[in-house]
Amino acid sequence: MRPMAFKGFPEEALRFYDGLEADNSRDYWLAHKVTYDTCVKGPMLALLDEVPERFKPFHVFRPNRDVRFSKEKTPYKTQIGAVGEGEGGSIYYVAFSAEGLLCGAGYYQMASDQLERFRTAVMDDARGAEVARVVAALARKGLQAGAISELKTAPRGIPKDHPRIELLRRKGLIVTRSFAIAPWLHSAQVRTKVVKMWTDAAPLCDWLDAHVGPSELPPDDAGWGR
């Protein structure tokens, strides 16, 4: 069945997550599941259906948290998130919560083979200088660089005073942008802002796709590196 036309996230979606943050229990979830399905998940599916094909396909994350491997033991996530993957390997992320909207693009967590290629490219004078310029230019547009984690010191064999050591310490490279609660969240403007953020991030994604690319390791070893 084709998702409904996207018209934004309704006020009920914000109230749902406000309530879930106050009472993260199975009783609350079951009592409000219809609201989640119609006012949270429904609009997210509609949004993803309407973004350009180059960002697809998308996977919507489960609402329940796997508490076996998490320090956070509450059973339900207080946001709905989805991730897509472009042809070259870059990922595109969007999440909605009571705090607003978060968009991201790049390589969040690199597998070991990707990380090796990434560090080799960053250390190269030409390619490394290029990605440093890209990250700086995106920062001026309000896109913040980050990764799943980073080393506290330089990777083995790399000088601590390397001019691009901040990038070399990272185990991934993404840019994100957060949008606070505003009236436009309840309108189709959400789609415009999400697509614009992903489009703005294209220079970084293009660099990563060209010089890192998807992991060639088996899926169990590669992790969420693409």
Side-chain angles (χ1 to χ4, degrees), residues 60-131:
V60 178
F61 294 111
R62 296 179 302 175
N64 54 300
R65 181 179 286 111
D66 189 345
V67 298
R68 296 174 301 167
F69 308 106
S70 175
K71 294 180 181 179
E72 174 58 69
K73 297 302 182 183
T74 51
Y76 301 102
K77 300 171 185 175
T78 54
Q79 66 176 22
I80 183 171
V83 63
E85 182 180 344
E87 290 185 1
S90 288
I91 62 99
Y92 301 93
Y93 178 76
V94 60
F96 172 80
S97 71
E99 297 181 355
L101 196 72
L102 174 66
C103 303
Y107 285 40
Y108 180 60
Q109 179 182 0
M110 295 182 189
S112 58
D113 60 333
Q114 293 176 300
L115 195 55
E116 182 179 355
R117 295 194 293 269
F118 172 70
R119 288 173 177 166
T120 297
V122 173
M123 290 181 67
D124 179 79
D125 287 342
R127 292 180 293 167
E130 179 186 1
V131 72

Side-chain angles (χ1 to χ4, degrees), residues 4 25 49 54 95 113 118 125 140-141 147 156 209 213 218:
M4 60 184 175
S25 68
D49 185 59
R54 66 182 183 274
D113 60 333
F118 172 70
D125 287 342
R140 291 192 291 272
K141 288 188 174 184
R156 183 178 302 175
D209 291 349

Side-chain angles (χ1 to χ4, degrees), residues 16-219:
F16 170 82
Y17 278 122
D18 282 336
L20 185 61
E21 289 183 355
D23 180 12
N24 198 311
S25 68
R26 187 170 184 271
D27 286 344
Y28 176 91
W29 181 265
L30 293 177
H32 297 84
K33 189 176 184 302
V34 172
T35 301
Y36 171 81
D37 288 338
T38 58
C39 299
V40 178
K41 186 176 180 179
M44 176 61 81
L45 292 175
L47 169 63
L48 299 176
D49 185 59
E50 295 181 13
V51 302
E53 291 296 322
R54 66 182 183 274
F55 302 119
K56 298 178 181 180
F58 275 88
H59 167 74
V60 178
F61 294 111
R62 296 179 302 175
N64 54 300
R65 181 179 286 111
D66 189 345
V67 298
R68 296 174 301 167
F69 308 106
S70 175
K71 294 180 181 179
E72 174 58 69
K73 297 302 182 183
T74 51
Y76 301 102
K77 300 171 185 175
T78 54
Q79 66 176 22
I80 183 171
V83 63
E85 182 180 344
E87 290 185 1
S90 288
I91 62 99
Y92 301 93
Y93 178 76
V94 60
F96 172 80
S97 71
E99 297 181 355
L101 196 72
L102 174 66
C103 303
Y107 285 40
Y108 180 60
Q109 179 182 0
M110 295 182 189
S112 58
D113 60 333
Q114 293 176 300
L115 195 55
E116 182 179 355
R117 295 194 293 269
F118 172 70
R119 288 173 177 166
T120 297
V122 173
M123 290 181 67
D124 179 79
D125 287 342
R127 292 180 293 167
E130 179 186 1
V131 72
R133 288 193 298 269
V134 167
V135 170
L138 293 180
R140 291 192 291 272
K141 288 188 174 184
L143 277 62
Q144 182 178 0
I148 185 173
S149 62
E150 62 179 54
L151 299 174
K152 294 182 179 179
T153 187
R156 183 178 302 175
I158 297 177
K160 295 181 180 180
D161 60 351
H162 191 283
R164 292 178 290 279
I165 192 62
E166 182 178 349
L167 289 172
L168 290 165
R169 289 203 311 263
R170 289 180 172 154
K171 296 185 178 182
L173 182 58
I174 59 167
V175 286
T176 60
R177 183 163 190 176
S178 299
F179 298 93
I181 297 298
W184 60 262
L185 281 170
H186 310 309
S187 75
Q189 289 185 47
V190 173
R191 180 180 62 251
T192 301
K193 290 182 181 292
V194 170
V195 172
K196 182 180 185 304
M197 186 276 162
W198 290 341
T199 303
D200 286 346
L204 177 62
C205 294
D206 290 345
W207 187 94
L208 289 166
D209 291 349
H211 302 298
V212 180
S215 175
E216 298 174 1
L217 298 176

